[in-house]
Each structure stands twice: as structure tokens, then as C-alpha cells.
Amino acid sequence: EAGVAQSPRYKIIEKRQSVAFWCNPISGHATLYWYQQILGQGPKLLIQFQNNGVVDDSQLPKDRFSAERLKGVDSTLKIQPAKLEDSAVYLCASSSHRPGAEAFFGQGTRLTVV
Amino acid sequence: AQSVAQPEDQVNVAEGNPLTVKCTYSVSGNPYLFWYVQYPNRGLQFLLKYITGDNLVKGSYGFEAEFNKSQTSFHLKKPSALVSDSALYFCAVRPTFENTGTASKLTFGTGTRLQVTL
């Protein structure tokens, strides 16, 4: 079974620029998550999708972050404009809809904003 | 609001000794509980979970965890630590939403660094 795929692995941008991350979840997984992990901290949920609908985006800074999951499969997370404090690893995960299903994570995208 | 507390930033243990990484949680209703491990420059890797039933759950690489509802805890344990177990460990919780068909929010703790030395 193929895992969660993310790209790019690394990205360096200047502040005020825009950036986009891509995620392809495990086939058949209805739930997709985007987490932000700042160095030394635990993952913070940015947005959670169920198919192509949003379940939770309460911690997504909507003035600069946006995410979509077209057709309920792949997802993109965008930051525009980026700030220095956005430097972090962005993790995508997916899980099935079964109760108690564990989430499977991709390797993440390390973003550095300079 | 749901939350997870991992009170120890770092746990040090000698190889061959038992290890415990602590986790307490707060959630409305019954919880689903998870442990993940993270190696440098890698994503999170699932270790084990508690859904229901036996309070002692066994997972990958010889790890196990004990669910204690009265203490709202889910401590990770291993009888004999290995140097290769050195990594960052995360506890996570999600509330059980039965019969909705929608996965509930998954919340992580801040992590505990496990250092196993010879």
C-alpha cells in the first residue's frame, strides 16, 4: 500500500512570497489532515477534510492560509503572503472513516521563510 | 476543548532498562488514544492505539501502553529499551463520535524526547 505523498520536501522562500504544498493521501482514505509542526513543538492541526468538505479549520490563519481538496482526493495548502513565523514542517496525513482509525503521515515539507 | 499533556520534555534511560513515557488527556466523552514516533527529518509513524476493550494495548517494536480511565492517562511502556528507540514520541487523542461517519479532530501533545544510552 502506497503511503501519503507530499511535495516538495524542502522549500525556502522570502517573506511576503507565496508557496503551495501538495498532498496525495492513501487511496480510499476519506479524511485528510494538514498539520503545522514548529521546531520543538507538537503538530498543530490546521485543517481537516472529510472527502472534499471541511470538518475543522479553527486554527487555520485564514487571512494568509488556504487549503482545498478537490474531488476528495489530492489536497493543496497555500500560504500567501508568508511570514517568518510560518517556518515549520507541514505534515499531511490521511485516515479511513472507520471509528478509531489511525492517521498515516507523509514525510512533510520543511518550509524556511527568510 | 480536547488536549494532551506530556509532562516530560525528555526521558533518559539505559539500554536494557524499562522505559515509560507519560501522557494524560482531556476530552469530552470516551477517547481514542494513539502513540506516534518521529525520527529526525521524518514524518510521524504510528505505534499503537486504544479504541476499546483491554486497557493494555500492544504495538510495534515491543511497545505497549496502558489506558487508565480514572487517571485519564495513556502511558507508553517498553520492558527493555534499545538505543534505536531514541526518538521523539507523541501522544494523541480524538473523541469518539459514534454513528456520524465523520472522523473527529486529532490533537497531539508537545512530544517527549526519549534518549537511550549504552
Side-chain angles (χ1 to χ4, degrees):
Chain A
E1 177 181 80
V4 176
Q6 288 188 250
S7 67
R9 285 295 312 278
Y10 305 93
K11 190 75 176 178
I12 301 174
I13 62 172
E14 295 183 350
K15 59 184 179 183
R16 292 186 288 275
Q17 284 187 324
S18 63
V19 64
F21 311 126
W22 174 82
C23 174
N24 180 242
I26 292 173
S27 178
H29 279 187
T31 307
L32 185 147
Y33 317 77
W34 283 103
Y35 285 87
Q36 180 193 59
Q37 186 177 21
I38 293 173
L39 187 64
Q41 299 182 18
K44 182 181 85 171
L45 181 67
L46 293 176
I47 189 167
Q48 178 176 333
F49 292 96
Q50 182 88 1
N51 297 310
N52 60 350
V54 175
V55 173
D56 189 295
D57 64 356
S58 57
Q59 297 188 93
L60 185 73
K62 297 180 185 63
D63 58 333
R64 298 185 301 106
F65 286 64
S66 64
E68 60 182 9
R69 190 182 184 197
L70 298 177
K71 301 180 181 179
V73 183
D74 293 6
S75 177
T76 56
L77 176 69
K78 297 179 181 178
I79 307 175
Q80 183 179 10
K83 293 185 175 180
L84 296 177
E85 59 261 36
D86 297 332
S87 294
V89 175
Y90 291 84
L91 296 165
C92 179
S94 69
S95 66
S96 77
H97 64 281
R98 291 178 294 106
E102 63 270 26
F104 293 88
F105 283 78
Q107 291 196 315
T109 296
R110 181 177 297 278
L111 174 67
T112 303
V113 183
V114 297
Chain B
Q2 62 199 67
S3 64
V4 175
Q6 294 183 243
E8 303 153 317
D9 289 337
Q10 181 156 326
V11 169
N12 299 306
V13 65
E15 187 174 58
N17 284 357
L19 69 88
T20 299
V21 182
K22 296 179 180 177
C23 169
T24 58
Y25 66 90
S26 174
V27 70
S28 296
N30 294 316
Y32 296 134
L33 293 156
F34 307 84
W35 275 102
Y36 286 82
V37 60
Q38 187 175 37
Y39 296 100
N41 299 315
R42 303 293 298 275
L44 276 69
Q45 184 177 338
F46 170 73
L47 274 181
L48 52 80
K49 66 181 178 183
Y50 170 82
I51 299 179
T52 187
D54 195 347
N55 289 342
L56 184 65
V57 293
K58 296 185 183 296
S60 306
Y61 312 117
F63 284 94
E64 57 190 29
E66 186 166 13
F67 170 63
N68 187 317
K69 188 172 184 178
S70 63
Q71 297 185 3
T72 62
S73 67
F74 189 55
H75 301 330
L76 181 69
K77 300 181 180 183
K78 187 174 182 180
S80 179
L82 298 172
V83 172
S84 57
D85 293 331
S86 299
L88 197 53
Y89 290 80
F90 291 97
C91 182
V93 66
R94 72 180 343 146
T96 57
F97 289 155
E98 298 179 359
N99 302 319
T100 64
T102 300
S104 51
K105 182 178 176 180
L106 182 62
T107 300
F108 284 83
T110 52
T112 298
R113 184 166 300 281
L114 174 66
Q115 187 70 43
V116 182
T117 53
L118 290 171

